Amino acid sequence: MNTRIRKTQLSATFRLVFRLAVICLVAAAGGGSGFADDTTVVVRSGGTGRFLYGRWGAVTASIANNGNSPATTLVVVTPSTGGLQYGRRIELPARISFDATWPVQVTGRKQPGPVDFKYLHFPGGVDDGVIRTRQSEKESPSFSALASEAAAGLAGYIPAMRDGESRDTSLMLMAQAYRFPKVGSAGLTSFLARDISHHSDCLDPLDTLVIGDPLLTNHPMACDSIRSWLQRGGHLHLPVDLIGEDVVRSLLGDMLPLTIVGETSANSVTLELNPDFPKPQYPVRSVLREFDEPTRYLRIIAGGGEVLWSIDGWPVAIRLPVGRGYVLLTAVEPRVFIVPRNNSEGGPDWAPIESSRRMLETYFDGRPDPLISPEAAASHAAGFVGYSIP
C-alpha cells in the first residue's frame, strides 16, 4: 500500500512509473475525482509516535472529503533528513473522513531530537507538480517527530487507560527497572493500541513491547501487527494477571496453551528459580518478597515454554521463543520482580531481583539482524512488479 520516490525532479517516465507503483501497491479504482477545496489532509506521526534512524516508522494522515462526490487524493511525505519520499493514494466516498497510516523510514545520521516532515497533497490522486498550502502558510505543511540514533531499539508500553491515566504503574516500573541495566536507559515509549495499524512496520522502532491493556483484542489490526513484529525478532512481555488470558490467546494462539486454575494472594511469597539453571550464573536460587498489602498471583498451567520462576510450584514467569522473537509471560504482580535501588548516580528507583539474568535476556536483548538483506529483498520484489524499487 506504499510507494517511494526519490527526492529529485521527476521525469515524465518516472512519474508514470510512480503512478503505476501506487496503482499496484494501493487498491486502485477508477476515476474518482475531487476539487482541491473538497479534500483536506493533515499528517502527523503515527504508530509509536517515535522514529529510529535506519528503521521503519509510520505516519498517519487525517483525510476528509467534504464534497458530495467521490474523491481521490495523493499524499506524499518527505523526511527532512533526506533519502526517499513516501506516498499513498487514497479514494474517499463523499462526505467521509478517516485516518490512514503507512510506513516511512528516516535515514541519515543526525543527533537525537526532532525531525521535520514536509507533506504535499495532490487532489485527484496524481502528482500535478502544484504545491498547495493553507492560506495561513507560506511553505509546504509539515510536522515534527522525535527520532533517535542508538544501537538498541526503543521499548514500547501499551497501558490500560482509565480517566486518561495508566491503571498499573508497577508494570511500567518493572519495565524501566529491567531496561536500565541492559541499555543504560529506563525510557519507555507509551502509546495506545488504537494508534497501531496492520502494518507491522509501525512497531519497527521497538525491540521490546510491554502489553498492559486488557482490551487489546478490541483492536485486531494492532494484534496482527504485534504478532508479525514478534515473529521478526521482537521481545514481548505479557502479564497475564493484568491483561487476562484472552489477550494472550489472541497473540499466541496454540503456541502457548494456557489454563488458569485459580488465583490467590499473600503478603509474603517466595520466588523459586528453575532448578536446571547453572548455579555459577544464578547463585541466588530463591527470593523472598514481603509486602504490607497482599500480592496477587495466578495458578496457571502452561503447555510450553521454559519456566524461569515459580511460587509454591506454580509458574509465574515463563520464557517462550516465537519465530525469531521471545515472549516473557508473567502471572504475578510486577512489583514482585523489582526491589528498591540506590539511585544516587541516577537511573530508576527500582532494580531487578537477583538471579534475573534469564529475564533480562528475554526482556531486553536486541533484535536479531534480518535473515534477508534489504538489497536482496528489493531485488526479489522488483522481479514481481517488473521495475526497480529505489
Side-chain angles (χ1 to χ4, degrees):
M1 298 181 68
N2 310 288
T3 187
R4 300 172 284 171
I5 58 177
R6 289 196 182 280
K7 204 176 175 184
T8 56
Q9 183 66 34
L10 301 181
S11 66
T13 302
F14 195 81
R15 287 178 186 274
L16 176 61
V17 171
F18 175 66
R19 292 179 194 137
L20 291 174
V22 175
I23 292 172
C24 291
L25 299 176
V26 182
S33 63
F35 296 101
D37 293 338
D38 288 343
T39 306
T40 59
V41 175
V42 177
V43 184
R44 63 187 185 277
S45 59
T48 65
R50 293 282 301 275
F51 291 87
L52 208 64
Y53 288 107
R55 292 197 189 185
W56 289 93
V59 296
T60 297
S62 296
I63 307 171
N65 177 12
N66 303 306
N68 294 317
S69 60
T72 302
T73 188
L74 170 65
V75 184
V76 178
V77 177
T78 307
S80 62
T81 55
L84 301 174
Q85 297 176 332
Y86 300 83
R88 181 164 180 184
R89 181 176 181 267
I90 300 167
E91 296 194 359
L92 303 92
R95 317 299 295 181
I96 285 292
S97 62
F98 75 106
D99 289 349
T101 300
W102 66 95
V104 168
Q105 190 178 67
V106 177
T107 58
R109 289 292 181 269
K110 289 194 174 184
Q111 293 297 321
V115 170
D116 292 330
F117 295 78
K118 291 184 179 295
Y119 61 93
L120 299 177
H121 165 217
F122 300 105
V126 176
D127 179 0
D128 55 9
V130 178
I131 298 178
R132 296 167 177 84
T133 61
R134 303 184 187 95
Q135 291 182 352
S136 59
E137 295 174 333
K138 296 182 179 179
E139 298 180 353
S140 302
S142 64
F143 67 94
S144 295
L146 291 176
S148 304
E149 182 178 8
L154 305 177
Y157 172 49
I158 301 180
M161 302 302 291
R162 181 177 59 193
D163 299 329
E165 297 183 357
S166 175
R167 291 177 54 190
D168 191 278
T169 57
S170 66
L171 179 60
M172 181 180 66
L173 294 176
M174 177 184 173
Q176 292 174 331
Y178 277 71
R179 177 171 167 79
F180 186 77
K182 289 293 290 185
V183 301
S185 169
L188 300 179
T189 299
S190 182
F191 54 93
L192 300 180
R194 68 188 183 200
D195 297 327
I196 302 302
S197 76
H198 64 282
H199 296 289
S200 59
D201 308 271
C202 289
L203 300 174
D204 201 48
L206 307 179
D207 281 357
T208 300
L209 178 59
V210 181
I211 306 294
D213 188 358
L215 302 179
L216 184 70
T217 53
N218 292 345
H219 305 276
M221 288 195 301
C223 293
D224 290 343
S225 186
I226 292 170
R227 282 191 293 266
S228 178
W229 167 85
L230 173 64
Q231 290 276 351
R232 298 203 316 268
H235 297 254
L236 184 65
H237 180 192
L238 298 177
V240 66
D241 59 301
L242 298 178
I243 61 177
E245 56 184 319
D246 288 344
V247 173
V248 176
R249 289 197 182 103
S250 175
L251 296 177
L252 300 183
D254 294 333
M255 289 182 285
L256 183 64
L258 186 68
T259 301
I260 298 179
V261 178
E263 66 176 77
T264 188
S265 61
N267 292 76
S268 175
V269 295
T270 300
L271 292 167
E272 299 290 347
L273 190 69
N274 187 326
D276 294 334
F277 291 175
K279 289 185 178 180
Q281 297 179 5
Y282 303 89
V284 177
R285 314 300 289 181
S286 64
V287 177
L288 174 65
R289 302 305 322 279
E290 296 180 313
F291 304 95
D292 294 334
E293 298 292 332
T295 188
R296 168 177 168 267
Y297 68 93
L298 301 181
R299 294 170 175 167
I300 66 172
I301 298 176
E306 176 187 49
V307 176
L308 307 182
W309 294 98
S310 60
I311 297 176
D312 294 332
W314 297 98
V316 293
I318 297 173
R319 167 188 168 107
L320 177 73
V322 177
R324 305 188 75 211
Y326 283 95
V327 171
L328 173 65
L329 185 138
T330 56
V332 64
E333 291 184 35
R335 60 177 177 164
V336 171
F337 296 109
I338 56 178
V339 293
R341 174 180 176 272
N342 180 3
N343 64 349
S344 58
E345 298 180 357
D349 295 328
W350 301 88
I353 59 174
E354 296 182 273
S355 290
S356 290
R357 175 176 175 175
R358 196 69 161 169
M359 288 184 68
L360 286 169
E361 293 171 351
T362 307
Y363 218 163
F364 285 112
D365 267 7
R367 287 168 55 189
D369 293 330
L371 293 173
I372 302 176
S373 69
E375 294 78 14
S379 175
H380 187 64
F384 281 99
V385 299
Y387 55 85
S388 178
I389 301 175

